[in-house]
Amino acid sequence: MISENRLDDKSKDKPKLHVQTATATSSNINIINLDDEEKNKEIKIVGLFREKGLLIKPSIIGELKEKSQEEILEIIGKLKDLHREELVFIDEIELKEVTQEIKLPSFADISRPSDFKPLAKEFGHDFKIYKERDVTGKSKCGGNIEDFVKNVNDRFQKLKDILESRPSNNKKAKAERAKKLVGETVRVIGMVMRKNETKKGHISLEIEDETGTLFILVLKDDKEAFEKAKKIIKDDVIAIDIKVGTNFCMAKDVTWPDMPVKNKRTIEKDLSIGFISDMHIGSKYFCDKEFERMLKWLNGVGPHKEIAEKIGYILIAGDLVDGVGNYPKQEYDLAIKDVFEQYKLVQELFKMVPDHIKIILIPGNHDAVRLSEPQPAISKEMLGDIPNFVSIGNPGFANIEGFETILYHGVSLGSMSSNIPGLTPAKPEEAVVELLKRRNLAPIYDECDIAPEHSDYHYIDKCDMINTGHMHKNGYTEYRGTVVVASGCWQWLTEYQVKQGHVATPCLMPVYNLKEGRITHLDFKNEDIKLLG
Ligand SMILES: [Fe+2]
């Protein structure tokens, strides 16, 4: 409680508040004045805020009266950081923004029920990390033009090789030679430099290969080619069938590298993989109780333990912690302001995961590694010595029980949604399918922070399963035999995310059974842990 002598005297001359309260008896209602001590407290609080140009809504005075003068001055300081203007009206929302309780998990001892029989333990682990696809410890780029050229050429060459293997009735030609084949229909493979809409509503493209550039028009009347061309994005590597004219070339068809068609893989072992991403540990908005519930469930506590018993792996697609300085005024959203302390909490939490579960994890844009992709693995200094942790770079490539697996945090998914018609952040799995079609995890170079390594680490070679995070929204689909899992988040929406228009599905954990080839989502928001299919 605030005490009179903890408030200074500066507010004594301020106008008096006329605060009244009502008491009811069985027979009548009396309006009485509050006692002087209470009144004085309120007057002083109002005065302290007013001195700094802050007006407060009467309904928040009660909450402020519970705080010490020191706490009130701290709140005023934070509010002034948020509002530099002279006069601001502070309501419940403004107050919550600077005073939200720090939430830290209370670690409960986990005692496994005697009937918990983890079948996954019997199978052991059969997995391999593709170290040659991991940038950790071997970043070569200095960010100069030469690095950029090597990176782009490597990307072009890999995707061109795939496109050249695709059958076509048209003869293939390089850009410069194609210009001379007037009247013929030829296939050119190139990287898209520019895409525009003409005044008449057609699409114009400029593509480039090793020999030069080519201007191509996609007429809106050619419905099939036009619909495909709408999905072309900058830096796409495509095969384009064109009718060569005297002044310009006209597109007839567009082909992306795409994934080969195959059946979905299954295995004999009755094993499952659990997926987690975007916990943002250290944030006030971290779903601590729900996460702890999930960790207990992995130990057989709660309903549906038959699903938990089969989990042999957990994949984490980045953003383990909230980090510091990732967005404006993030400090007000942090329960833990030191990134080392954030990772200490990660360690404490993951110690609760049973030993028979292997945890393969990559960083995201909030983790303590460089922001540019490919990102190196989160270091041991941060993660400690947890024996079942396997920390790899982003993107990360592994073979898990025969499944060619990609872990990618997913920063490029936002740019896919904003550049390809029909995609939305609410369906991240559809954006991932567009990445698979392009055989590249970050197709638009300037819209992702990409370090120009000499080899293109974003190249998709083979893939039976891909796990992404970043969008904080769960999603699942299958595409040409590849399983796509967007693993949601463990963070309630922050004020910043609300302002950005984010959609989130916190506390839903996808679990994929490798034998049945089936996904199940478990909702940890409540004790009953619902199954959502
Ligand atoms: Fe995130």
Side-chain angles (χ1 to χ4, degrees):
M1 294 285 286
I2 191 164
S3 67
E4 179 133 6
N5 59 9
R6 294 166 79 179
L7 292 173
D8 63 31
D9 290 325
K10 287 180 186 169
S11 59
K12 278 185 179 158
D13 301 330
K14 301 291 178 197
K16 299 278 184 270
L17 284 179
H18 301 285
V19 183
Q20 292 183 315
T21 189
T23 59
T25 67
S26 57
S27 57
N28 62 353
I29 295 175
N30 295 324
I31 305 296
I32 59 166
N33 287 329
L34 281 173
D35 62 53
D36 286 347
E37 190 189 348
E38 288 294 300
K39 242 194 273 182
N40 283 339
K41 278 180 200 168
E42 292 171 1
I43 290 164
K44 286 181 178 181
I45 290 168
V46 172
L48 285 172
F49 276 79
R50 191 173 284 180
E51 276 173 19
K52 298 292 180 187
L54 300 167
L55 301 175
I56 54 176
K57 195 174 167 187
S59 56
I60 64 171
I61 290 180
E63 188 178 341
L64 291 167
K65 274 165 64 183
E66 300 296 317
K67 300 189 184 297
S68 69
Q69 182 177 358
E70 198 183 13
E71 287 168 332
I72 288 177
L73 292 174
E74 193 186 337
I75 289 167
I76 291 172
K78 287 178 177 177
L79 287 166
K80 281 306 289 176
D81 279 351
L82 286 174
H83 306 283
R84 303 242 173 241
E85 309 94 293
E86 261 308 288
L87 266 179
V88 177
F89 192 71
I90 305 302
D91 60 11
E92 284 87 350
I93 295 169
E94 299 279 352
L95 186 63
K96 190 173 154 232
E97 199 165 343
V98 294
T99 60
Q100 187 159 343
E101 287 296 305
I102 290 176
K103 294 197 299 176
L104 291 178
S106 53
F107 301 110
D109 283 332
I110 295 175
S111 40
R112 285 183 203 165
S114 55
D115 60 343
F116 180 61
K117 304 265 184 290
L119 299 176
K121 200 172 179 175
E122 315 296 319
F123 294 122
H125 297 111
D126 178 11
F127 75 99
K128 179 186 173 207
I129 303 298
Y130 291 114
K131 291 194 173 149
E132 66 279 13
R133 305 276 337 251
D134 189 330
V135 78
T136 311
K138 41 182 187 281
S139 173
K140 284 201 181 88
C141 72
N144 53 39
I145 301 255
E146 196 180 297
D147 295 327
F148 172 80
V149 170
K150 279 186 178 162
N151 179 278
V152 171
N153 279 340
D154 188 62
R155 175 197 290 215
F156 180 64
Q157 198 56 51
K158 283 172 172 152
L159 299 177
K160 193 182 89 165
D161 289 348
I162 298 173
L163 287 164
E164 277 186 339
S165 70
R166 300 278 180 260
S168 169
N169 293 329
N170 300 322
K171 76 172 170 194
K172 289 165 191 159
K174 306 270 188 210
E176 279 308 308
R177 188 167 129 66
K179 287 175 190 168
K180 296 178 184 124
L181 302 174
V182 176
E184 291 191 48
T185 301
V186 296
R187 171 167 284 202
V188 180
I189 297 170
M191 186 178 272
V192 176
M193 291 170 68
R194 280 181 201 86
K195 179 192 173 190
N196 290 305
E197 194 181 323
T198 68
K199 281 181 190 165
K200 292 188 176 168
H202 309 302
I203 292 171
S204 74
L205 299 168
E206 187 179 359
I207 67 163
E208 182 183 26
D209 70 4
E210 314 91 313
T211 63
T213 60
L214 203 58
F215 288 92
I216 299 167
L217 208 57
V218 193
L219 300 179
K220 64 180 178 193
D221 302 330
D222 186 344
K223 296 268 184 278
E224 208 175 316
F226 193 75
E227 282 308 307
K228 282 189 176 182
K230 277 188 192 170
K231 292 194 169 188
I232 292 175
I233 52 179
K234 190 171 168 295
D235 304 332
D236 255 352
V237 177
I238 50 173
I240 185 154
D241 296 301
I242 52 170
K243 178 88 185 282
V244 184
T246 327
N247 299 320
F248 60 87
C249 302
M250 219 153 50
K252 297 296 197 196
D253 199 9
V254 183
T255 305
W256 281 270
D258 220 329
M259 301 297 289
V261 179
K262 61 178 166 47
N263 291 326
K264 191 166 74 172
R265 184 181 288 274
T266 52
I267 57 171
E268 282 301 307
K269 293 181 194 173
D270 199 1
L271 258 180
S272 296
I273 298 180
F275 299 86
I276 298 174
S277 59
D278 298 271
M279 294 95 82
H280 291 263
I281 290 168
S283 163
K284 288 175 185 172
Y285 299 85
F286 168 49
C287 310
D288 56 346
K289 288 181 183 63
E290 296 75 10
F291 198 74
E292 196 174 343
R293 185 175 294 139
M294 184 273 290
L295 293 172
K296 286 182 183 169
W297 175 79
L298 290 174
N299 287 276
V301 180
H304 315 299
K305 63 167 75 70
E306 70 287 355
I307 298 174
E309 284 171 339
K310 294 180 184 176
I311 296 179
Y313 298 86
I314 285 178
L315 305 189
I316 308 180
D319 281 2
L320 279 73
V321 297
D322 206 45
V324 290
N326 296 78
Y327 58 86
K329 299 194 176 85
Q330 186 188 9
E331 59 272 25
Y332 298 133
D333 291 341
L334 291 177
I336 306 171
K337 293 183 170 63
D338 178 333
V339 75
F340 288 93
E341 294 299 319
Q342 293 178 0
Y343 280 105
K344 266 190 197 157
L345 186 50
V346 170
Q347 293 177 32
E348 290 303 314
L349 287 165
F350 279 91
K351 277 179 194 160
M352 294 191 223
V353 175
D355 295 342
H356 67 271
I357 297 179
K358 195 60 82 181
I359 303 163
I360 303 176
L361 63 97
I362 61 165
N365 54 313
H366 281 252
D367 284 294
V369 293
R370 75 173 184 192
L371 195 56
S372 304
E373 294 178 11
Q375 297 178 288
I378 305 169
S379 69
K380 261 203 162 162
E381 190 191 359
M382 294 296 179
L383 294 173
D385 255 333
I386 297 179
N388 46 352
F389 265 173
V390 182
S391 176
I392 60 174
N394 170 42
F397 299 84
N399 185 297
I400 303 172
E401 302 289 337
F403 284 70
E404 298 295 353
T405 306
I406 298 176
L407 285 96
Y408 176 55
H409 179 57
V411 166
S412 69
L413 296 175
S415 70
M416 296 301 280
S417 298
S418 53
N419 282 281
I420 299 180
L423 291 185
T424 150
K427 291 192 170 178
E429 69 279 15
E430 292 181 359
V432 177
V433 168
E434 293 299 327
L435 299 181
L436 291 170
K437 287 179 182 173
R438 287 160 176 81
R439 304 284 291 266
N440 194 286
L441 293 163
I444 309 176
Y445 195 93
D446 346 340
E447 293 195 16
C448 296
D449 190 350
I450 295 177
E453 299 293 343
H454 297 179
S455 159
D456 181 15
Y457 284 89
H458 289 89
Y459 173 59
I460 299 172
D461 180 7
K462 45 198 174 181
C463 187
D464 298 313
M465 178 181 297
I466 178 166
N467 174 213
T468 58
H470 190 62
M471 305 302 280
H472 290 210
K473 172 78 179 55
N474 285 80
Y476 176 82
T477 192
E478 290 165 17
Y479 178 71
R480 295 193 166 193
T482 295
V483 169
V484 176
V485 184
S487 40
C489 64
W490 293 84
Q491 185 192 32
W492 308 115
L493 274 179
T494 64
E495 306 280 340
Y496 176 77
Q497 289 163 344
V498 170
K499 283 175 194 161
Q500 300 278 310
H502 286 203
V503 193
T505 47
C507 314
L508 292 187
M509 183 188 193
V511 176
Y512 186 78
N513 184 268
L514 302 176
K515 182 179 183 185
E516 294 172 10
R518 204 161 59 86
I519 195 88
T520 308
H521 288 83
L522 293 110
D523 184 350
F524 286 92
K525 282 197 281 299
N526 298 301
E527 288 290 346
D528 56 356
I529 310 177
K530 285 197 177 67
L531 282 187
L532 301 180

